[in-house]
Amino acid sequence: MKQHQYRITVEHLSDAKGDPSTHEAPLVFETGNHDDILKIVELMKQRDDLNEREAISLAVGLKLFSEVMLENKGHDLFSEFQPHFVDFMKKLKGK
């Protein structure tokens, strides 16, 4: 399957108490996705039920998760959750 290619970077800024991060380096990895994640982010930012930070977090998180689930659709780990995820995505897309 042809995929858009991404480099994802997660940098820990502070802990839950507000103390500076003790992690020495950000998490960086490369991955693919059948969708243009940046285009999806722009669509999600247009929603009026989430603020911009929430919309971005949801879009990126869902697209990363759903691609793994799609690539492993026969895996037992996803078998019970998959139908619920499909329903959620329909609701999210307004179908």
Side-chain angles (χ1 to χ4, degrees):
M1 174 186 336
K2 292 185 179 182
Q3 295 183 321
H4 300 263
Q5 295 300 306
Y6 297 94
R7 178 175 298 118
I8 308 295
T9 302
V10 179
E11 184 176 354
H12 188 246
L13 302 176
S14 63
D15 66 17
K17 296 177 184 177
D19 295 327
S21 176
T22 57
H23 297 275
E24 293 184 17
L27 170 66
V28 179
F29 63 97
E30 295 181 6
T31 192
N33 199 286
H34 69 279
D35 282 325
D36 181 340
I37 295 175
L38 299 178
K39 191 177 207 178
I40 302 291
V41 165
E42 290 306 313
L43 291 171
M44 288 292 291
K45 286 169 45 177
Q46 295 174 16
R47 297 178 63 94
D48 60 3
D49 54 346
L50 298 171
N51 67 43
E52 185 172 326
R53 181 192 55 80
E54 292 168 335
I56 293 168
S57 295
L58 180 60
V60 173
L62 279 176
K63 291 312 304 173
L64 294 177
F65 174 77
S66 64
E67 193 72 15
V68 172
M69 191 166 62
L70 181 64
E71 291 174 352
N72 294 278
K73 57 184 159 192
H75 196 293
D76 266 359
L77 181 62
F78 302 113
S79 63
E80 291 181 35
F81 180 69
Q82 201 271 340
H84 302 287
F85 186 78
V86 169
D87 290 342
F88 172 80
M89 290 303 295
K90 287 179 182 176
K91 184 175 183 179
L92 180 67
K93 293 177 179 181
K95 292 184 180 178

